[in-house]
Each structure stands twice: as structure tokens, then as C-alpha cells.
Amino acid sequence: MSTPFLEDYFAFLRFQSVSTEPALAPQVAACAEWLERKFRAMGLEARVYPTAGHPIVVARSTPKPGRRTLLIYGHYDVQPADPLEEWHTPPFEPTVRDGLVYARGATDNKGQLLAHILGVEKTLRERGELPVNIIFLAEGEEESGSEHLAAFLEAHREELRCDLIAISDTGMVARGLPSLTYGLRGILAMEVRLHGAETDLHSGLYGGVAPNPATLLARMLATLHDADFRVAIPGFYDDVAPLQAWERKEWARLPLDEAFFKEAIHSQALLGEGGYTPVERAWGRPTAEINGIGGGYQGSGSKTVIPREAFAKLSFRLVPNQKPAQIEACVRAHLERVCPPQVRMEILTGHGGQPFLCDPNGPDGLAARRALVRTWGVEPALIREGGSIPILEALRGTLGVEILLLGMALPDCACHAPNESFPLENFEAGMRLNQALLEELARA
Ligand code: BES
Ligand code: MN
């Protein structure tokens, strides 16, 4: 298949713009420059801004006074492609199979961002102008924590002044079922390390005598949840906003029952906090997760050793109105309380991001919903999702405007995993969505 949009899409996907891999920084930069050229070729004013990390690309249509300005944010960096041997075709050689484009970044986020860009290009080509002023903001560090974007927003606040922000970096409930995401979970990443003896010890000589950091850490980690898998950290739920009756009702109608989740994770069993359905737990309830445990012998066979240290990587998904700083304090206090005196504990705090919630019934939410109906021919589902986009807080705070999340990722698009894919159907819908959105916002 060869259409003009596929050429652009494939060219964009061929850049190995993996932001976490320092050796690929030239590819990330080349990808930013490709975007700048694309924006200029379609008649927008565009510029690549270097940062201390990866560049930020800003493009704008010639501002027409009296029109509203929509800022569209997206990211051109991608997750690493490993494990490479699990890809059926190479991650940076986009391939179409059965109507799906396979490549790293096909969905997250190059496909979704480019659909908006090409939607604007199409409108400009067909009509010579846009119903609203447009600013594109494309960053290259989303997958590594958007480290330099918040400061950039502060420094370029005037240039980025807008009336509304739209982002397509979230999901759709199912194929052909458009979704307006009015909430995302926040996040807090932490690490706990326990230090015992100065070196690893022979467990025959010192077993029964020396404190074992791995054993003690296991005990501590077991206190994070109660028997019903509710988080057992005192204060953790203090600020949790209860689910609203209307959203529980709306979500219960979606094709996201227990069977869906079992199928999605290829597991016979689900596990989570009692009293809530799986979709409620995934979208509207906070969690404490152990993302990794280490320490001691990890090789094949056995080794009779008492490790000198043990660690666990933890993260917490947060819901309105939890705050990362307050949760961090609760977690620290809890770990201090349950840490046995025989080991020395170190607690590290990683990235954090506030949960996000907006009103899907405001004038712009309604305009977005009309655009989704026009694009897909069905009423959009109103959903929250469990993932996090930490930069939303800075976007809303610094630019002072509301954010619409109009994602097109499918549950089985394998974002962040091998064989990531995006349906061409969604790509084309994304272009139409952009055109409909601009028209509806001009009227709202
Ligand atoms: N696009 C996702 C966020 C997302 C995922 C939104 C699923 C809605 C549903 C984003 O690229 C992402 O993966 N974010 C990370 C953020 C973290 C590394 C701070 C996440 O959610 O784990
Ligand atoms: Mn993303």
C-alpha cells in the first residue's frame, strides 16, 4: 500500500528516537529535525529548541486574531524496542500486516501525533486556512520523564499561550469505540534498600546469627497490603475521592468485564482490592506495586549466601485527590515503622505526577464529544484510565487552560512491548478527528 500519508508515517517511524538510550541521541535529534521540516513544508512556522536533554519542536499556524488557539501536545520519542528477538518484523522498519502498522512508536505516540499533524495539513490544503489557530508542541523526553519540558513551558509561556490543549496519548475502550479520557492516575516511584553485614556471608557459618536483609525486606513488603489487597499503609486512602455513582454506572456498561481483563493479561486469575470491579480498580482506585526485587544470588543453581543487601522498586498509582508528596510521607513513615532495627534502611524517591481529572461536560468537552461522534459514528465512552502523563499538571498549571485527552490506542496495541501496532483505520480516524475537532472548537 502506498499513500502519501503512509510515506510520512513510515519516515517518522524509521527514526530510532529512543530517549532513554544516550547512544541514540543523534537519532532523536534527527527525528526532531524531520518534524520541523514537515511542519514547514505544510506552511507552519516551526522551530527546534535544544534543551539540556532532547529537543522540543514548536510549530504554529499564522495566528488569526479573534480565533481561539488550540495547542496539540505529543511526543516523538519512543520506548526502547527490546527484547528484539520477540519482534516479528524489525521495530524500526514499519510493516503493514492485516491493516495494522507494526513498529515501535506506531501508536505511542508517533501515529497519534502525526494523525493530528496530517489532519491539519489536509485542512490547510483543502481550505487554505484553519478554523482555529494551532500550536504543535512535540517533546522528545516523555518516555524518560519529560525532564526539561516544565522549565521550557515556564520560559515560553507567552509563545505557547492558548485557549485549550488536546492530547492523543491515551486509549480507546475497543476498536471502533471512541473514548474521551477525563481522568488519569498519578504516580509516585520509590525504592527501598536494606543493608545488613558489610559483605555477603557464608550462610552455614552465619545463618541463624546474621540478619538477612532479603528475609527482612520480604516481611516489610508483605505489610504493604492487607489480606484483601487493600493498601495497608496508614493514611494512604485519606484523600481518595470516592467513585461517583454515574461513572460506576457508565463503566459497568463498557465491554470491560472480568473476562476481558483475563483475556487481556492472558491469565486465569485476577487479583486486586475487594469491593470494586476490575475496571474500577484499574481506573479509579490507587495501588501499591512492587516493580522489582533484588539482592543476593540471582544466578543459576543455588548459592549458600546471606546477602549484604536487598532492595525493592515500588510505585504507587494515585487517584484524585491524593498528592505524591503526601503519599511519599505516608510510605516513608510506614517503612520506618516496620523496618527492623538490625538493618540499615535507605529510601529513595523517584518521579512523581499528580492524578488528572477534568469535566467531560464543559463546553469544550462537549465539542470534543461531537468531534468524536462525527469521526466514528458512535457516541464516545467517557472513561478514566490507569496510566499516567505526569506533564499534564505542568501544562495545565503553566498555561492555565484545560486539557482534552482524545486517545486512539487500543488495549492490544502493545505499547511499550514487542510488536507494537496501530490500525490504519485509527490513523485515518485521527486525521478526521483533528479536522472535526478544529471545527467544533471554533463553534464552542
Ligand atoms: N501514554 C502513556 C500513558 C497512558 C498509558 C495513558 C495508558 C493512558 C493509558 C505514557 O506514555 C506512559 O507510559 N506513561 C508512564 C509514565 C511514567 C513512566 C511516569 C506510565 O503511565 O507508566
Ligand atoms: Mn505515550
Side-chain angles (χ1 to χ4, degrees), residues 73 75 77 79 107-109 112 142-143 168-170 388-389 415-416:
Y73 160 89
H75 60 94
D77 65 318
Q79 283 273 321
T107 293
D108 186 8
N109 178 240
Q112 300 189 73
E142 196 273 347
E143 302 291 3
S168 290
D169 193 18
T170 47
S388 310
I389 306 181
C415 291
H416 296 202

Side-chain angles (χ1 to χ4, degrees), residues 72-93:
I72 298 177
Y73 160 89
H75 60 94
Y76 67 88
D77 65 318
V78 297
Q79 283 273 321
D82 63 284
L84 282 179
E85 62 282 5
E86 287 186 27
W87 285 79
H88 302 310
T89 49
F92 297 103
E93 291 173 27

Side-chain angles (χ1 to χ4, degrees), residues 272-316:
E273 188 187 0
Y276 296 90
T277 66
V279 68
E280 289 171 349
R281 304 202 297 265
W283 292 355
R285 296 295 296 171
T287 62
E289 296 287 357
I290 300 169
N291 303 117
I293 296 185
Y297 183 59
Q298 310 277 326
S300 56
S302 61
K303 184 180 181 197
T304 49
V305 71
I306 296 174
R308 55 190 277 272
E309 62 176 4
F311 70 88
K313 306 250 181 197
L314 310 177
S315 67
F316 304 86

Side-chain angles (χ1 to χ4, degrees), residues 243-299:
L243 288 166
Q244 307 281 302
W246 74 265
E247 52 192 355
R248 296 186 90 161
K249 213 168 115 202
E250 168 107 4
W251 299 355
R253 293 207 316 249
L254 301 174
L256 300 174
D257 55 4
E258 297 220 357
F260 165 86
F261 279 96
K262 286 180 182 170
E263 165 74 26
I265 65 171
H266 304 289
S267 164
Q268 285 312 300
L270 304 178
L271 195 65
E273 188 187 0
Y276 296 90
T277 66
V279 68
E280 289 171 349
R281 304 202 297 265
W283 292 355
R285 296 295 296 171
T287 62
E289 296 287 357
I290 300 169
N291 303 117
I293 296 185
Y297 183 59
Q298 310 277 326

Side-chain angles (χ1 to χ4, degrees), residues 12 35 39 72-76 107 109-119 136-139 168 408 427:
F12 195 22
L35 269 179
F39 284 132
I72 298 177
Y73 160 89
H75 60 94
Y76 67 88
T107 293
N109 178 240
K110 287 175 172 172
Q112 300 189 73
L113 172 60
L114 188 65
H116 278 286
I117 296 172
L118 298 192
F136 281 105
L137 171 67
E139 72 152 319
S168 290
M408 291 168 286
F427 193 90

